[in-house]
Amino acid sequence: MRKYLNTVVLAGLVSLAAGCGSVGPPAPPDDPELDRWIGQMLLVGFRGTNLAPDDPFLEQVRELHLGGVVLFDQDLPSRQPVRNVTSPEQVKELTAQLQRVAEIPLLIAIDQEGGRIARLKPERGFPETRSQAALGQADDETATRQNARQIASTLKQLGVNLNFAPVLDLATNQDNPIIAGLERSYGADPELVVRHARWAIEEFHRQGILACVKHFPGHGSSREDSHLGLPDVTKEWNDNELIPFRTLLREGLPDLVMTAHLYHADWDPQFPATLSPQVIGGMLRDELGFQGPVVTDDLQMEAITEQYSLKKSIELAVKAGADILAIGNNLRYDPEIAFKAFVALHQLVREEALSRERLRESFERIQAVKTRLLDSAPARTEGAEP
């Protein structure tokens, strides 16, 4: 089990941002239980459309016990049009390859919101989808359900089991470049957003697709794109942005919740939402009562990397209450990023910055949602409208 870890270290390929040497830290001590807990907290992007049996990423999936992967259509760092997606047949085989080597079934995630934010596009053989903005403007239940049903059916056929959708952000700022500007919100009215998101999640659940709502506590009022820096929403954000999250969480519909890389002085004067105990532990867990897995937005976004090393961002996110650390590996690319995150978590436990108990809590939340995915998806939607 340690072959991959030792090989990488001996080759000198790992250098954590917190370190000062050219050769990475020693491989973590043998602790199979902790290895699994740590690996399951990592959801990582990778390059490749068809992985050979000896592909290094498959070895990472197997030996690091990775909990999940995320698929992209384009490779942004290399400016190439293809990363993980060329055709339905190819994606189906790729997901099967990944699951075959995983000790614990993987969460295979994608951003298939619809419209402009769709990794599975018609030009590559996938059904056309409508944006959330278009569906909100039409405000037609049948249209929204049909769109979500088609998305869910496509994902199920491909072996993708987690959709980072629907978006619950309110389109309160029409000049917002990353939400309203990309037609990702159903609208500015929280009740309209609730209705359409409910219909979408119900259709996802009918076909066993997990729904991860985003971006908590609401990204729609920001003026900036958190991919490019840390937006400060202290003056713009308002309590209405919590309504979709509060309502749907009370109904028990979202499976996972993704945090936003946003700063608000009244939420937390020190940390952005993704790294804030007040936001995740206080607002989301205590106030809204969500006890499922919390997923960070991509930790490689500049809102985080401008201020924190990989190790420090992982430490703060887990202390804040995040369970799944999303590292898209598509804003910058590092073939060893999964190993670096794995080692960072081991170090944080050895340094007593994080407790084993805290990691066990995340592991249990993740396994609970995976069990629901495998065993209980049909029962979760009994009584839903046709």
Side-chain angles (χ1 to χ4, degrees):
M1 208 288 286
R2 291 280 153 167
K3 181 184 72 171
Y4 177 75
L5 303 183
N6 293 329
T7 298
V8 171
V9 172
L10 291 173
L13 296 177
V14 176
S15 179
L16 290 176
C20 57
S22 59
V23 177
D30 278 321
D31 191 338
E33 184 175 57
L34 184 60
D35 285 349
R36 283 191 291 275
W37 295 353
I38 287 174
Q40 288 294 293
M41 295 176 69
L42 302 178
L43 186 145
V44 183
F46 63 99
R47 280 178 172 161
T49 58
N50 185 12
L51 305 178
D54 61 348
D55 187 280
F57 187 71
L58 290 180
E59 197 165 13
Q60 292 180 19
V61 170
R62 179 172 53 249
E63 297 209 17
L64 302 183
H65 311 283
L66 292 188
V69 300
V70 57
L71 306 181
F72 293 98
D73 53 344
Q74 301 178 56
D75 191 271
L76 300 181
S78 65
R79 300 184 179 180
Q80 294 299 311
V82 175
R83 181 177 171 100
N84 304 127
V85 176
T86 59
S87 71
E89 296 76 13
Q90 169 269 319
V91 174
K92 183 176 181 179
E93 175 54 30
L94 177 62
T95 63
Q97 285 182 301
L98 292 162
Q99 293 289 18
R100 280 196 294 269
V101 302
E103 177 190 13
I104 300 172
L106 291 163
L107 293 176
I108 299 184
I110 202 164
D111 293 278
Q112 191 71 1
E113 299 169 16
R116 295 173 66 178
I117 307 301
R119 311 306 183 199
L120 308 172
K121 294 181 169 61
E123 55 264 34
R124 296 186 184 171
F126 301 96
E128 189 169 356
T129 57
R130 299 179 67 181
S131 71
Q132 292 193 188
L135 292 167
Q137 289 166 8
D139 197 14
D140 178 80
E141 178 177 355
T142 299
T144 294
R145 285 190 179 275
Q146 287 178 342
N147 191 72
R149 188 178 306 129
Q150 178 178 271
I151 288 173
S153 176
T154 299
L155 298 185
K156 183 177 182 180
Q157 292 172 26
L158 298 176
V160 177
N161 52 33
L162 170 59
N163 196 4
F164 287 141
V167 172
L168 300 190
D169 303 314
L170 304 185
T172 53
N173 177 9
Q174 289 299 312
D175 294 325
N176 181 314
I178 197 63
I179 303 298
L182 294 178
E183 303 176 357
R184 301 174 71 189
S185 171
Y186 290 118
D189 176 3
E191 296 305 325
L192 178 142
V193 171
V194 166
R195 287 199 304 276
H196 287 268
R198 180 188 294 122
W199 298 331
I201 294 172
E202 287 175 351
E203 295 301 329
F204 291 170
H205 285 171
R206 285 179 184 275
Q207 301 192 56
I209 303 300
L210 297 173
C212 179
V213 297
K214 57 189 183 185
H215 305 80
F216 186 83
H219 206 318
S221 57
S222 71
R223 292 170 294 170
E224 298 89 15
D225 178 355
S226 51
H227 292 81
L228 306 177
L230 180 61
D232 184 339
V233 297
T234 304
K235 295 180 179 179
E236 293 82 16
W237 189 89
N238 69 80
D239 288 341
N240 282 347
E241 298 186 54
L242 275 182
I243 292 174
F245 294 97
R246 179 182 293 113
T247 303
L248 294 171
L249 290 174
R250 186 171 59 239
E251 295 175 7
L253 282 173
D255 301 289
L256 305 94
V257 175
M258 179 179 285
T259 60
H261 299 329
L262 301 172
Y263 174 82
H264 190 305
D266 294 336
W267 298 341
D268 189 319
Q270 184 174 6
F271 298 119
T274 293
L275 309 181
S276 170
Q278 287 93 320
V279 173
I280 299 178
M283 293 171 67
L284 183 54
R285 298 277 191 217
D286 297 339
E287 182 183 338
L288 272 60
F290 181 64
Q291 297 306 315
V294 173
V295 186
T296 69
D297 207 345
D298 190 348
L299 291 179
Q300 289 181 314
M301 291 163 63
E302 290 189 23
I304 300 299
T305 59
E306 279 185 345
Q307 301 184 59
Y308 305 99
S309 67
L310 175 67
K311 182 179 178 182
K312 192 64 177 179
S313 67
I314 287 173
E315 176 188 354
L316 293 172
V318 175
K319 282 182 174 178
D323 302 297
I324 297 177
L325 305 169
I327 305 174
N329 214 14
N330 199 27
L331 296 172
R332 58 190 70 185
Y333 180 71
D334 182 346
E336 300 301 334
I337 195 67
F339 175 67
K340 292 179 181 181
F342 182 92
V343 170
L345 279 162
H346 261 284
Q347 287 184 324
L348 291 165
V349 172
R350 293 206 303 274
E351 295 163 3
E352 299 185 349
L354 295 174
S355 70
R356 291 177 62 95
E357 175 64 20
R358 173 65 192 85
L359 271 58
R360 185 184 65 81
E361 290 174 0
S362 288
F363 176 80
E364 290 180 351
R365 289 191 188 108
I366 295 162
Q367 298 319 300
V369 82
K370 287 187 174 185
T371 298
R372 184 159 72 246
L373 173 70
L374 294 171
D375 299 336
S376 306
R380 286 172 56 77
T381 56
E382 285 183 3
E385 295 178 26

